[in-house]
Amino acid sequence: MLKHPHSPTEMNTTDSSPTEELKSNKENTIDDDSPADWEQSADANENHAGSGEENEELDGDGGEAEAPPRAKKKPVKVDDDRLRKEHVNVVFIGHVDAGKSTIGGQIMYLTGMVDKRTLEKYEREAREKNRETWYLSWALDTNTEERDKGKTVEVGRAYFETERKHFTILDAPGHKSFVPNMIGGASQADLAVLVISARKGEFETGFEKGGQTREHAMLAKTAGVKHLVVLINKMDDSTVLWSEERFTECREKLLPYLKKCGFNVKTDLKFIPCSGLTGTFLKEPADETICSWYRGPAFIPYIDNLPSLDRSLEGPFRMPIIDRYKDMGTVVLGKVEMGIAKKGQQLVIMPNRTIVEIIQLWSDDDEVNSVGVGENVKIKLKGVEEEDVSQGFVLCDASQPCRTGKIFDAQVHIVEHKSIICAGYSAVCHIHTAAEEVTLKAIICLIDKKSREKRTARPRYVKQDQGAIMRLEAAGVICLEPFEEFPQMGRFTLRDEGKTIAIGKVLKVKE
């Protein structure tokens, strides 16, 4: 679920039970640098998010303002500037207390999205609670529970702009109890930032089995994130003091696992040392007296200069719903995965086939007339009640709705499971923003990990590190598409007992 610090209405909070989690897809290859075949083939089709071009409707702040104030030319110029900027969704992931929210808050301050006075207010309030070092994270952790405990629960959302791009920050929770929320955030991301604490003891805790560093990196990859920036945070800590040895140690321990997840070391990964608390290496390079051994780019210039995402506005509109609330109509939130939508357009909510009309559109809190692929949006709808919309429903083009079904065939890779898995096994399937219990009906065949050829038809069981084609049945009807046709709705993760058991891709929707 998303928190919206600037939203006039408070969101519902997610039910955060450990078993409710979400997401998927990655390659079965463990030994290659390069992504698996089916991932490469999907790269060509992938519409993965777009620079949502839209014509912004200029609503006066006052509400009572008549037409003349709306006709001002200056705001129109700002709108034209927005149209030129590419939208990039950045999710901050990593172990609890690595400093994700603090880095997000610092970036907002450095880019002018939070003013100094607001930050000083947060600092005073944090000092009163004996939490002096937490004040930056309060820009993203907005509710009392999160501020008191210093733990992100929901996915915080904010945005900042550079000269070339418009970035949406998705601040994911690091605690293992809130992995379902983290998966929801990662499912909307184009770029992932894995935050690692360099402090002695903290890095080891996060990276060991049971820590969230490993699981978050894998879940980001299976969500379709192509590029991963690893921020080695807390380099200014007294146990580190900008030590190159510590930076190299963290990097060398992480690389084999990230490679195993399917990230290409040469093209998909970038390691940057930083300090979230002081802002060092976030926007500007550090002085040589502080850190002489790293002379690479700082974080914001680096992501600003990444190649543009390959996006197409072609295709029917698709937006998996991550959250909804009531505000003089039903407002749904999510990331546009395909197509464009305009004010006044009729859409359909699947799988219930409810016909709705768009009353208002917002892209990162700016009211607009249209939204396009890649944008994180809020859409106010007419024709449906809030209680009739659930997370995981998909807002679709009325003439070309997405597929729905209960039974589907999938290629699945077992990541971690102590015992064997047989027909009748059930787990929670996380696919785009949906979470639904599924039962294994049959194992059709095993797949050789290296050659990826089918072998052993109708095996009785499958175990850890094996790949198989399976027939799965969901408890209810879900929205899904074959991976080859639309990767964003064809990847999934299976989770059980608070752990990610398997990842996979939909091959065929049966019924």
Side-chain angles (χ1 to χ4, degrees):
M1 281 251 174
L2 297 173
K3 280 182 315 225
H4 303 275
H6 312 296
S7 172
T9 312
E10 189 65 36
M11 301 304 86
N12 292 345
T13 52
T14 281
D15 176 6
S16 310
S17 77
T19 33
E20 294 233 325
E21 359 274 353
L22 169 146
K23 173 153 18 40
S24 123
N25 169 29
K26 168 189 104 188
E27 51 283 338
N28 301 336
T29 311
I30 306 253
D31 308 321
D32 278 353
D33 272 4
S34 57
D37 287 353
W38 51 267
E39 226 179 24
Q40 286 174 328
S41 65
D43 284 352
N45 317 332
E46 192 138 355
N47 295 328
H48 205 291
S51 63
E53 321 307 322
E54 63 267 327
N55 302 314
E56 194 164 309
E57 184 182 0
L58 297 159
D59 258 329
D61 289 341
E64 288 154 73
E66 292 296 320
R70 290 188 183 177
K72 282 182 187 173
K73 288 192 175 172
K74 199 168 178 185
V76 175
K77 243 180 186 173
V78 173
D79 183 40
D80 289 344
D81 186 49
R82 276 188 88 245
L83 288 178
R84 286 198 297 272
K85 291 187 179 180
E86 180 185 13
H87 281 69
V88 180
N89 302 284
V90 183
V91 66
F92 284 82
I93 57 174
H95 192 65
V96 66
D97 288 338
K100 299 179 293 298
S101 300
T102 298
I103 287 174
Q106 182 71 262
I107 287 170
M108 288 173 70
Y109 171 62
L110 293 172
T111 54
M113 299 310 295
V114 175
D115 59 39
K116 194 165 185 188
R117 183 182 291 181
T118 306
L119 223 50
E120 285 169 352
K121 174 174 166 276
Y122 290 159
E123 195 169 3
R124 277 197 309 275
E125 291 171 1
R127 198 178 292 119
E128 283 166 15
K129 295 188 176 186
N130 294 320
R131 299 283 187 267
E132 298 91 288
T133 59
W134 292 3
Y135 73 99
L136 285 161
S137 69
W138 287 14
L140 286 156
D141 290 344
T142 53
N143 69 40
T144 312
E145 180 196 357
E146 291 183 321
R147 289 181 172 186
D148 287 349
K149 293 183 178 176
K151 275 192 192 117
T152 305
V153 175
E154 303 167 352
V155 176
R157 194 178 81 166
Y159 60 91
F160 68 94
E161 291 195 347
T162 60
E163 285 184 14
R164 297 176 59 226
K165 293 178 182 176
H166 177 99
F167 291 94
T168 300
I169 297 175
L170 300 160
D171 176 33
H175 196 277
K176 64 183 179 183
S177 300
F178 309 120
V179 170
N181 299 4
M182 174 265 157
I183 293 173
S187 70
Q188 302 169 76
D190 306 309
L191 169 71
V193 179
L194 179 63
V195 181
I196 302 292
S197 170
R199 184 181 284 163
K200 286 274 164 69
E202 284 191 5
F203 167 73
E204 288 74 12
T205 304
F207 190 62
E208 284 167 8
K209 282 208 168 183
Q212 296 312 112
T213 302
R214 291 167 178 264
E215 186 172 28
H216 279 207
M218 185 185 64
L219 288 170
K221 183 62 181 174
T222 57
V225 169
K226 294 280 185 302
H227 203 93
L228 182 73
V229 179
V230 183
L231 286 181
I232 311 284
N233 189 27
K234 304 190 185 180
M235 290 296 290
D236 58 330
D237 187 75
S238 58
T239 64
V240 184
L241 296 175
W242 292 98
S243 160
E244 185 179 4
E245 286 173 25
R246 181 61 169 167
F247 175 81
T248 307
E249 180 191 351
C250 295
R251 185 177 182 275
E252 294 308 313
K253 284 185 177 175
L254 284 164
L255 271 176
Y257 185 74
L258 295 176
K259 190 174 163 185
K260 182 180 171 182
C261 286
F263 289 103
N264 186 310
V265 177
K266 293 185 180 75
T267 58
D268 300 346
L269 292 171
K270 176 69 178 175
F271 287 80
I272 301 175
C274 75
S275 165
L277 199 58
T278 63
T280 313
F281 280 123
L282 288 182
K283 191 179 181 189
E284 304 286 345
D287 192 275
E288 285 204 27
T289 54
I290 297 172
C291 175
S292 59
W293 48 268
Y294 178 80
R295 302 323 300 158
F299 173 66
I300 294 173
Y302 176 76
I303 60 172
D304 195 33
N305 289 314
L306 283 172
S308 291
L309 296 157
D310 184 21
R311 289 167 166 166
S312 167
L313 294 172
E314 300 298 315
F317 184 77
R318 297 275 186 276
M319 189 193 88
I321 295 168
I322 186 74
D323 199 2
R324 82 277 186 246
Y325 63 94
K326 191 177 278 186
D327 180 20
M328 298 178 68
T330 300
V331 179
V332 296
L333 300 97
K335 176 188 165 192
V336 181
E337 295 288 11
M338 187 191 279
I340 56 173
K342 296 178 180 174
K343 205 169 174 180
Q345 185 176 339
Q346 279 207 335
L347 298 172
V348 62
I349 296 178
M350 299 296 283
N352 290 355
R353 300 185 182 275
T354 310
I355 300 291
V356 292
E357 185 184 327
I358 298 174
I359 309 172
Q360 273 178 295
L361 291 161
W362 294 268
S363 174
D364 275 331
D365 300 322
D366 295 323
E367 191 169 342
V368 293
N369 281 333
S370 66
V371 293
V373 58
E375 293 187 66
N376 256 291
V377 300
K378 290 187 283 191
I379 302 179
K380 187 182 282 190
L381 301 171
K382 182 170 79 175
V384 68
E385 292 300 318
E386 181 208 355
E387 52 269 22
D388 297 328
V389 181
S390 296
Q391 180 177 331
F393 282 14
V394 180
L395 200 55
C396 302
D397 187 297
S399 60
Q400 291 177 273
C402 66
R403 284 188 179 88
T404 58
K406 283 183 74 174
I407 299 173
F408 58 97
D409 290 348
Q411 183 177 322
V412 180
H413 178 70
I414 311 301
V415 177
E416 182 184 354
H417 198 260
K418 286 175 186 169
S419 57
I420 59 174
I421 293 174
C422 312
Y425 174 78
S426 62
V428 176
C429 174
H430 295 282
I431 181 163
H432 54 87
T433 58
E436 189 76 47
E437 186 168 333
V438 295
T439 304
L440 173 57
K441 287 194 76 177
I443 304 170
I444 296 167
C445 66
L446 292 179
I447 292 175
D448 187 85
K449 197 159 62 177
K450 291 208 165 52
S451 67
R452 302 189 187 93
E453 290 176 359
K454 296 176 184 178
R455 58 181 178 84
T456 323
R458 297 279 174 187
R460 292 177 60 195
Y461 63 86
V462 64
K463 58 187 181 182
Q464 186 168 318
D465 285 336
Q466 284 187 325
I469 292 177
M470 302 176 174
R471 183 156 294 172
L472 299 165
E473 181 173 8
V477 176
I478 53 175
C479 299
L480 71 171
E481 299 275 8
F483 179 86
E484 295 297 333
E485 292 178 25
F486 190 40
Q488 292 89 328
M489 289 178 63
R491 326 178 153 94
F492 63 89
T493 310
L494 296 179
R495 286 181 59 86
D496 187 22
E497 296 178 355
K499 290 180 184 159
T500 299
I501 301 300
I503 53 174
K505 58 172 185 173
V506 177
L507 299 176
K508 191 176 182 183
V509 182
K510 300 295 285 183
E511 59 182 77

